[in-house]
Amino acid sequence: MMRLPRFRYLAPASLPEAVKVLGDLGPEAMPLAGGTDLVPNMKRRQQTPANLVGLRGLAALRAVSGDAGRGLTLGAMTRLAEVERGPVAAGWPALARAAATVATPPIRNTATLGGNLCLDTRCSYYDQGEEWRRSIGYCMKREGETCWVAPGSDRCWAVSSSDTAPVLCALGAEVTLLSRGGERRIPVAELFADDGIRHLSRRPDELLTAVHLPPVEAGQRAAYVKLRRRGSFDFPVLGVAARVRLSAGGTVEAARIFLGAVGSRPQEARAAADFLVGRRLGDEEVIREAARLAAQVAKPMQNTDLTLGWRKGVAREYAARALRELVG
Amino acid sequence: MEAPLVTLQSGPREKLRLAFAVNGEERELLVEPYKTLLEVLREDLGLTGTKHGCELGECGACAVLLDGELALSCLVPAVECGGRAVTTIEGLRDGPELHPLQAAFADHGAAQCGYCTPGMIVAARWLLDRKPDATRQEIADALAGQLCRCTGYQQIYEAVESAGRVLRGLPPLPPVVAAVHGEEPHGR
Amino acid sequence: MADDREATPRPGPRALDDDRPAPRPGAASPAPGLAAVGKPLRKVDVRGKVTGETRFADDFTMPGALHMKLVRSTVPHARLLSVDPSAALAVKGVRCVLTGKDFPIAYGLMPVSQDEHPLCNDKVRFVGDPVAAVVAADELTAQEAAAQVRVEYEPLRTIATPQEALATADPRIHDYGDAPNVHKLVAFDFGDVPAALAGADQVFEDRFFYQGNTHLPIEQHAALAWVDPDGRVTIVSSTQVAHYVHKAVARALALPPARIRVIAPPQGGGFGGKTDPFNHEIVVAKAAMVTGRPVKIALTREEVFLCHRGRHPTLMRMRTGVKDGRIVGHSVETVLDGGAYGSYGVASVHYTGALETVTYRMDRYRFRGCRTFTNKPPCGPKRGHGTPQPRFGLEVHLDKICEKLGVDPAEWRIRNAVPPDTVVANWMRVRTTGLVACLEAVVKASGWRERRGRLGRGRGLGIAASSYMTGAGISITFGDLPHTGVQLLLDRGGGVTAFCGASDVGQGSDNVLALIVAEVLGVEVGDVKVVTGDTSLGPVDLGSYSSRVTIMMGNAAIQAAERARDRLAAAAAAKLEVPASRLCFAGGRVFDVEDPARGLTFAEAVQRAEAQAGTVGTVGSYSPPTPTPRYKGGGVGPSPTYSYSAAVVEVEADEATGELSVEKIWVAHDIGRALNPVAARGQVVGSVYMGLSEALMEEQEFRRLPPKLSRALVHQAPSMLEYKSLTFHEMPEVETILVEEPDAMGPFGAKEVGQGPLLPIPPALANAVHDALGIRVDEVPITPHKVLAALAAPDRRYGPAAFPDVPWPEPLLVPPPWEGGDGKATNERKRERRLPGAKP
């Protein structure tokens, strides 16, 4: 049986206490939300915080408020199973869809939206047991020197594998980060950095407390298409999230496209989005060209499931499928 | 505002008090923080009906109901279960009679080696509690976190459908037997 | 008492023409009148499985048990210079550390491959080879301390592939084998195939590759050992073969076999992955002896991947000559990647050629097989053992041949099916065969004739057929002793206890035992208590593999039950004053068939028999008929009878991405008789599932880091998440048809069902992909990138381009039956033989 390493467990009773504890302990502590990412990582000794700060008792992190007209604020501990349904499904179906594709039903019953955003980056040289990693001399992300995906590289190429992150980026959502020093609210896209190791701009003393969905605009359409091997369990090897605002006549007025799982953070396909503006989605030529442009930002590495060449090759097709979904 | 410092904390080698309800019975014990709910159920409470196949959330064998929701006991630190209600396979039946799902799994051949079966039945219970007339697609969606290497899943569909009927007050489905060459196929 | 023993026959070799059991009541008799056989009853052991009460190996514990962790090699190939346990011993809670020094004796499954040490002595041969064991008060402490064991290695060059093995004379992974880094070479000519090809109308050649994959039982291996107060070393382990563990422990620990007891509780799936005796089973026993405490080990999922013994990656070349639409000569060459140890490998390599002949007529047959050593976890038997690979090749090869010949591949198979009661080219004896019936059944059910080739681009149908053994004709380790035994004890309350060494891996063998005994004795199935999987509590059964338990244990159970019935009949006859021949056993009674009211309850009959001649206990045993082949190597492949299967797969292929979605599978299986039609269907669908999972995604693949930077050679994805297997979403509906033609060899006519239906699935899928897109993927698994690559290739094919040069030995020349001869090789004495030098 795989066992967790020993750690000190703390269960703060309030948000202020939680951020105080995180502030006091700094990098020695990690917050524990659903645990569906952190617990396996700890069992494989990829992450071995000396202290776990359990957030279960903090009801404030479960609060949901707002609606499609005003925008919705979801406490970071909102479970993915809840994101699949309710107000999110009604107003932001692409996000609900993304949440519904994460892992498996029991994991979605436990995993949280905040946790999915803060998901550790993944890599087939890193998501392995301690002995396996010792057998390869470890890797840059933990205990080693080399990035085995790109041995000449001076950075880590582990992959952002969240399904909800690219959708939240495309929707223009924001997150609140709370620390002893106060709180700051930043666009979700700015939560991520292009580095497999330091992939979050969240500081260790900060707690991600809430996700803010902007109001649904007239003519807003969004889609999420996920590429993976099986219909369950699997992380994305490509996720295409697109959000557009259409005029009454069906012309694209605004567009944002993000690709997930093809870099250390969600990759924005700006050229594709810019190309769409002023054009009509019903035109298959438009979709093909936008998909071609979008696929250009996909820079997959050989560190996930399925072969690199194939993933590169089908990115265009999957981008096109996401865009076709916008047509409705 | 003045909040209590921390409601609960342990040293790395200290045990913490855990009080929770397991299959309707209040249990109280001291647990190491590193132990998951799976380990406490199997090792501290002797409830070995809950199985494990990976301990990483990748197979579904350890599924239990946690406050009525399907959850993987291998991913939940036991210390996070205080005050909660856990239902394991042992808690599915009350008395000697099998739960309709257990009876259906037995009758329809849905348990071969039987190792994924506790998790599978608990997951099916979670589904049927909400949707006793679940369609095949809904069964697949709900059970998609449970791996089985024996059955090819087909007889599990049939068992869940049959149990759903019983829970709705309808007679169970007869077990499907294979068509025999030269005869009219029975069943579907 | 003594009469039973005296009545026990000595099953042994029988004459070739005298190997059919005499007709007996209950065996292969017409179905009417059977009370339990053929009925969709609950399995006797299923209640515990649905309630969670069934105890699997890891559910056992003992008061005061210690926990063990193995320290495994982190290098793929090295001399082991030193193992220093001092730091680990200093960890609080650690009780002892064992190393290779504690295990000087090698063991192994096959007598010719005693090449493993419970803990490595002088060398490590793959990442995961165990070098030390740490025993501590709890598992976490053992795990923490295991990381403190210091191991010094002197790395050796790593051999990663069969091609490298064939090209590397030094270093050698083992100092035995048919060539450096070649474990086994076999070569047979059943008639002059080159001459046949020269005279053929057309000659076809193909190369195929079947990737390795693993069993992935949901239950991980676990073992608990203790020394009983009576001094007996007792091991509870998740093994499919308690007696192999018993034998290996006795050998490796130099213990008297009489002082070892191995208990095999029901396994949470095995599929062949728990048929080898494993190092951890031996080490945990030693740890219990050393500490005087119960010791437990439960492997992690990653360790289960390292135990492996799964499907051999196999490269194949096939050549076939066709004249007037029939096969005049067929040649198969195989190269197997065996991994680091022998395991069942000698049998595995033979199996890649042995069953090539039992489906379609072929005049002459040539087989060459080669198993190499590589620095990877050892391969061994997985469901279908050695035969799914050549079956994939043959069935796809035939599909291509039929396409060239312009004939319907289903029709060709039906026309060329081996008829019943045939001794085929390599001297395997086919008795009953449902091959044609299976083909006709899936053709009809799938609408093959109307729908094939007419489903539009991207959708297709493919067909394939196959055959598998119903138990192996020769025992690997026990020579001429019976392959199984069943012992019955009848009690005064009318209860019957059936003891047998077989253990239930999920296939339902406990149920088969209870069912057969109940049927013969006319009692309810629930009145029979089975005690299985315990070397101290039942006669030897060779275990749950090679589809042998139903036929072998079943026949032994019939024999034991008939002997019990005879004793009861004699006693009841005396009491009732009717001739024993008029007595009938049914409904829990023993009565006069001419006057059914005149009778005894079963319990009364037992009491009368006990009063007459003492405790009522009987035994039965079974040995398969003498194999027809008489050449060396002909012991692999013979079976009391063969099962047959056929399948049609319907696939939807996405031309843009290469992704495949299997929409439906029709499968027909020649089962002889279904003892339990619900359980039998479950075995068929489960086999189809496993075949499809292999065909679509399963891969035991390895990763070698850039050699300049690293010596690493590691399993690519030793996890349930990244080793992909089908979920509910990918598994299509399977329509199952059972072909029932009782076979005189089987209990009540039953043949195997647990493995055969896997075999046609991978080739049927490949053939369906061809029907859908016009491409050939000559590899398993058929992944999306291979489909796209084939679509882009000029020859519309994806598959191996080359076949390595292998130093084949001089072949054994065995004329097929119709070319004279007697099943012996004509050159056996003359042939230069390389003796496999046993490792000291």
Side-chain angles (χ1 to χ4, degrees), chain C residues 603-652:
Chain C
E604 286 165 346
V606 174
Q607 291 163 19
R608 285 309 95 218
E610 193 174 337
Q612 192 181 59
T615 304
V616 186
T618 60
V619 294
S621 54
Y622 178 81
S623 289
T626 306
T628 346
R630 295 163 78 187
Y631 53 88
K632 178 156 175 57
V636 181
S639 175
T641 187
Y642 299 93
S643 74
Y644 288 85
S645 312
V648 169
V649 169
E650 181 164 347
V651 74
E652 177 85 36

Side-chain angles (χ1 to χ4, degrees), chain B residues 51-52 96 107 149 158 179, chain C residues 42 58-59 681 698 738:
Chain B
K51 305 304 177 194
H52 60 99
D107 287 332
R149 290 289 280 173
E158 291 156 6
Chain C
R42 274 188 193 173
D58 191 36
D59 300 336
R681 174 169 172 263
E698 292 188 31
L738 294 177

Side-chain angles (χ1 to χ4, degrees), chain C residues 349-655:
Chain C
V349 67
H350 277 287
Y351 276 130
T352 62
L355 301 191
E356 196 76 354
T357 49
V358 297
T359 38
Y360 314 111
R361 282 180 303 213
M362 48 184 71
D363 295 344
R364 289 174 180 177
Y365 175 51
R366 173 183 182 271
F367 169 50
R368 304 286 184 270
C370 166
R371 183 180 192 261
T372 59
F373 286 125
T374 53
N375 294 117
K376 298 187 287 196
C379 298
K382 184 187 171 192
R383 210 171 195 172
H385 193 186
T387 71
Q389 301 97 320
R391 180 55 59 183
F392 171 75
L394 177 63
E395 298 292 318
V396 175
H397 186 58
L398 288 175
D399 206 63
K400 296 184 189 186
I401 291 173
C402 290
E403 188 188 8
K404 288 272 171 51
L405 297 177
V407 298
D408 181 309
E411 298 303 331
W412 186 93
R413 285 175 169 87
I414 289 167
R415 276 206 307 274
N416 286 276
V418 167
D421 292 312
T422 304
V423 177
V424 298
N426 63 347
W427 287 84
M428 302 299 155
R429 180 177 211 155
V430 171
R431 295 170 193 273
T432 58
T433 160
L435 177 57
V436 170
C438 286
L439 283 160
E440 286 172 344
V442 294
V443 162
K444 180 163 176 252
S446 66
W448 171 263
R449 292 197 177 87
E450 307 77 48
R451 300 176 68 232
R452 176 178 169 257
R454 299 189 188 119
L455 296 175
R457 180 126 186 113
R459 202 168 177 109
L461 289 179
I463 195 167
S466 63
S467 176
Y468 197 65
M469 303 182 303
T470 301
I474 296 275
S475 157
I476 290 172
T477 58
F478 285 97
D480 60 356
L481 299 177
H483 289 215
T484 189
V486 169
Q487 194 167 7
L488 296 183
L489 177 64
L490 280 63
D491 65 55
R492 295 174 188 181
V496 181
T497 307
F499 302 87
C500 180
S503 62
D504 199 310
V505 68
Q507 87 279 42
S509 62
D510 278 3
N511 189 60
V512 166
L513 180 55
L515 177 72
I516 285 177
V517 171
E519 187 70 55
V520 174
L521 294 177
V523 297
E524 284 189 29
V525 180
D527 291 337
V528 182
K529 165 79 184 168
V530 296
V531 178
T532 53
D534 188 325
T535 60
S536 289
L537 293 185
V540 166
D541 175 275
L542 292 188
S544 284
Y545 67 93
S546 85
S547 279
R548 51 170 298 290
V549 182
T550 290
I551 190 168
M552 298 196 186
M553 179 193 73
N555 278 326
I558 288 175
Q559 189 179 56
E562 286 178 349
R563 287 174 178 162
R565 196 173 61 185
D566 290 348
R567 276 204 54 194
L568 267 51
K575 173 79 180 168
L576 298 170
E577 296 175 341
V578 293
S581 60
R582 261 176 37 198
L583 291 176
C584 180
F585 286 66
R589 291 180 68 239
V590 182
F591 56 90
D592 181 356
V593 279
E594 292 176 10
D595 178 10
R598 191 186 179 103
L600 301 173
T601 65
F602 185 77
E604 286 165 346
V606 174
Q607 291 163 19
R608 285 309 95 218
E610 193 174 337
Q612 192 181 59
T615 304
V616 186
T618 60
V619 294
S621 54
Y622 178 81
S623 289
T626 306
T628 346
R630 295 163 78 187
Y631 53 88
K632 178 156 175 57
V636 181
S639 175
T641 187
Y642 299 93
S643 74
Y644 288 85
S645 312
V648 169
V649 169
E650 181 164 347
V651 74
E652 177 85 36
D654 186 325
E655 206 166 353

